[in-house]
């Protein structure tokens, strides 16, 4: 969880969950680059092209990790009403008003086929938090298709702290002084 950003609220990352998967992908790219260089040793032009393509692939894997680290989930309780902004790299960005949250539970689930009205934002085929909503919110898919969502499952590195923060934000006592005298 980070709080050192300019807008207020609390940031909850999800990049740690995919770090090992991306490290394995980068290693596979490097091994493929070396293997292809050896296999193409009789074709010098292609042999010189392979390292360029390999470095581009490693750079793409690094960029994927950077996009996960740069766009964490945001729990904003400073604004009225509070909101939870759920992200997954540049592909998904969903704002859930906290007054729409019926329940927030931390549960480790493997990504599966989702039903109508469900949104899964897994990392490494796993989700760690489930939100049940009192009324659906609108989510626009990567290609712009509109979808109403009543259940949201997503991954957060520190799921227990996020769930506790959501529950606390939903039950903050009123600051009004009480009934007039």
């Amino acid at each position: 969880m980070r709080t050192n950003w300019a807008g207020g609220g609390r940031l909850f990352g999800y990049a740690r969950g995919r770090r090992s998967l991306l490290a394995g992908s980068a290693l596979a790219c490097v091994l493929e680059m070396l293997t292809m260089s050896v296999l193409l040793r009789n074709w010098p032009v292609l042999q010189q092209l392979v390292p360029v393509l390999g470095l581009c692939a490693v750079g793409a894997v690094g960029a994927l990790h950077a996009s996960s680290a740069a766009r964490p989930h945001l729990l904003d309780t400073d604004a009225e009403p509070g909101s939870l902004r759920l992200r997954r790299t540049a592909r998904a960005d969903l704002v859930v008003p906290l007054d729409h949250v019926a329940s927030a539970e931390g549960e480790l689930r493997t990504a599966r086929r989702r039903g109508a009205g469900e949104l899964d934002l897994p990392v490494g085929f796993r989700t760690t938090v489930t939100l049940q909503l009192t009324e659906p919110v609108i989510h626009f898919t990567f290609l712009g298709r509109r979808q109403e969502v009543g259940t949201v499952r997503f991954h957060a590195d520190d799921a227990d702290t996020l769930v506790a923060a959501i529950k606390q934000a939903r039950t903050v006592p009123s600051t009004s002084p009480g009934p007039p005298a």
Side-chain angles (χ1 to χ4, degrees):
M1 180 209 45
R2 298 184 315 195
T3 56
N4 60 345
W5 77 290
R10 295 170 65 182
L11 300 173
F12 293 90
Y14 55 91
R16 193 178 343 143
R18 64 188 322 171
R19 191 178 300 154
S20 61
L21 178 67
L22 293 177
S25 297
L27 178 65
C29 290
V30 169
L31 291 176
E32 178 186 31
M33 179 177 57
L34 295 173
T35 304
M36 292 303 294
S37 290
V38 170
L39 291 175
L40 295 173
R41 68 181 173 265
N42 294 331
W43 293 282
V45 174
L46 291 178
Q47 187 180 21
Q48 291 175 357
L49 184 66
V50 167
V52 173
L53 295 176
L55 292 176
C56 287
V58 171
V61 170
L64 186 59
H65 177 68
S67 68
S68 298
R71 297 175 50 86
H73 304 308
L74 168 65
L75 178 61
D76 187 8
T77 56
D78 297 338
E80 190 61 38
S83 64
L84 176 63
R85 187 171 185 177
L86 302 173
R87 299 170 172 166
R88 183 170 150 212
T89 63
R91 295 184 144 225
D93 195 347
L94 176 69
V95 177
V96 178
L98 289 179
D99 56 354
H100 286 32
V101 176
S103 68
E105 300 297 326
E107 63 176 343
L108 180 63
R109 293 179 63 118
T110 303
R112 56 171 178 72
R113 239 187 213 295
R114 60 183 182 269
E118 294 181 351
L119 176 66
D120 286 351
L121 301 174
V123 170
F125 302 104
R126 295 178 304 178
T127 60
T128 55
V129 179
T130 300
L131 294 179
Q132 297 291 335
L133 307 178
T134 57
E135 55 187 83
V137 295
I138 303 299
H139 168 64
F140 291 95
T141 63
F142 185 63
L143 297 176
R145 190 172 44 111
R146 179 185 164 122
Q147 177 182 10
E148 288 190 353
V149 177
T151 302
V152 182
R153 293 182 185 89
F154 61 97
H155 178 81
D157 290 336
D158 195 2
D160 295 334
T161 305
L162 176 58
V163 168
I166 292 170
K167 289 180 178 179
Q168 180 196 11
R170 289 181 45 234
T171 58
V172 171
S174 174
T175 57
S176 65

